[in-house]
Amino acid sequence: MELSFTNNPVLGALLATLFTWFMTALGAAVVFLFKEINRKVLDAMLGFAAGVMIAASFWSLLEPSIEMAASLNMKEWVPAAVGFLAGGFFLWAVDKILPHLHAGMKTEEAEGIKTSWQRSILLVLAITLHNIPEGLAVGVAFGALGTNISSATFAGAIALAMGIGIQNFPEGAAVSIPLRREGMSRWKSFLYGQASGVVEPIAAVIGAAMVVHMRPILPYALSFAAGAMIFVVVEELIPESQLGKNTDCATLGTILGFVVMMVLDVALG
């Protein structure tokens, strides 16, 4: 399997993000069991997702970016710094343009370009925004397998996909449960919740294809994904996890998420 994904990293990226999409759908399916979710539990889950993304940004993206830059005879810090800043700026721009609404906020507090779209669509788009850098990160990690760079490993790419998949579970629930609470049917809430993950396979295939055909951009692509993920964590996940004033639960969730992702990456990668 490792050899086949090395020879066809785009396929590997697609299959890996189909798994992460499935985990989003699994989280959204919680709506069939509950109409409400305890705010402490939700804050802890959001914190956990933030911790996973923070750890993945370094262990799975920035550190390999620095190592790959050295192997390509680049100044190690340049791709990491330039890509990281570009990724953060890219998500900042998307955040300003894409209409979206975070759970717990009033419709008139929606961010991005003003629109008359339904509240449900705006809620889904908020989580979809999270999933762009996640899919890109997995895609770039698998795309690196086709470059024959020693620091790009199959186990590391799998660890990243697993970590992203795990934290997608609470993200799916964070969409479907609020929609159900607002009166939408269970089935429709589920469909909207899982739809937020559809962007991940798309972003992954694009990311993998780019680095396969343009090997020199790989260190920049890895750090770009890291910058985009950190933007999501600081701009959205951590603030949302603090809205319910359950700061201890959210913080402990973040620490746990960081440790889980670190262990996955170090143990498997």
Side-chain angles (χ1 to χ4, degrees), residues 26-263:
L26 196 62
V30 169
V31 76
F32 292 113
L33 302 176
F34 307 103
K35 184 176 181 178
E36 298 277 351
I37 186 169
N38 183 277
R39 184 68 212 193
K40 283 188 177 181
V41 173
L42 177 60
D43 290 343
M45 291 167 70
L46 289 170
F48 180 87
V52 168
M53 292 179 71
I54 293 170
S57 295
F58 176 74
W59 297 103
S60 298
L61 299 170
L62 278 177
E63 185 181 41
S65 171
I66 294 169
E67 293 176 357
M68 290 177 189
S71 69
L72 294 171
N73 297 316
M74 301 177 180
K75 286 188 178 295
E76 293 94 331
W77 61 269
V78 172
V82 172
F84 191 86
L85 290 171
F89 179 79
F90 172 76
L91 254 290
W92 172 82
V94 174
D95 187 68
K96 296 300 181 185
I97 297 171
L98 182 69
H100 61 285
L101 178 68
H102 302 294
M105 293 186 175
K106 299 177 181 178
T107 304
E108 55 269 23
E109 295 177 316
E111 300 178 19
I113 295 174
K114 298 304 178 183
T115 176
S116 59
W117 292 351
Q118 293 182 350
R119 178 180 174 86
S120 56
I121 298 295
L122 295 173
L123 287 167
V124 172
L125 287 177
I127 300 298
T128 301
L129 183 63
H130 298 180
N131 291 337
I132 294 174
E134 294 170 11
L136 181 62
V138 175
V140 170
F142 273 89
L145 299 178
T147 63
N148 297 317
I149 295 177
S150 60
S151 54
T153 66
F154 175 72
I158 289 294
L160 177 59
M162 289 177 60
I164 295 297
I166 291 170
Q167 65 93 41
N168 273 1
F169 182 88
E171 287 192 352
V175 178
S176 63
I177 294 294
L179 292 177
R180 175 58 179 163
R181 188 170 58 242
E182 293 182 11
M184 189 175 287
S185 70
R186 294 183 189 274
W187 182 245
K188 196 170 183 180
S189 297
F190 165 74
L191 289 178
Y192 275 71
Q194 63 82 33
S196 66
V198 71
V199 72
E200 288 194 1
I202 298 171
V205 168
I206 292 173
M210 286 181 61
V211 299
V212 165
H213 293 98
M214 294 180 284
R215 176 176 170 177
I217 73 165
L218 179 55
Y220 292 93
L222 286 166
S223 56
F224 180 95
M229 289 176 69
I230 291 297
F231 180 91
V232 168
V233 169
V234 178
E235 168 76 8
E236 300 179 14
L237 285 180
I238 289 180
E240 283 184 41
S241 72
Q242 305 291 320
L243 286 177
K245 308 300 182 183
N246 301 307
T247 55
D248 288 344
C249 292
T251 303
L252 291 173
T254 303
I255 292 172
L256 178 61
F258 185 96
V259 170
V260 168
M261 185 65 230
M262 180 181 65
V263 170

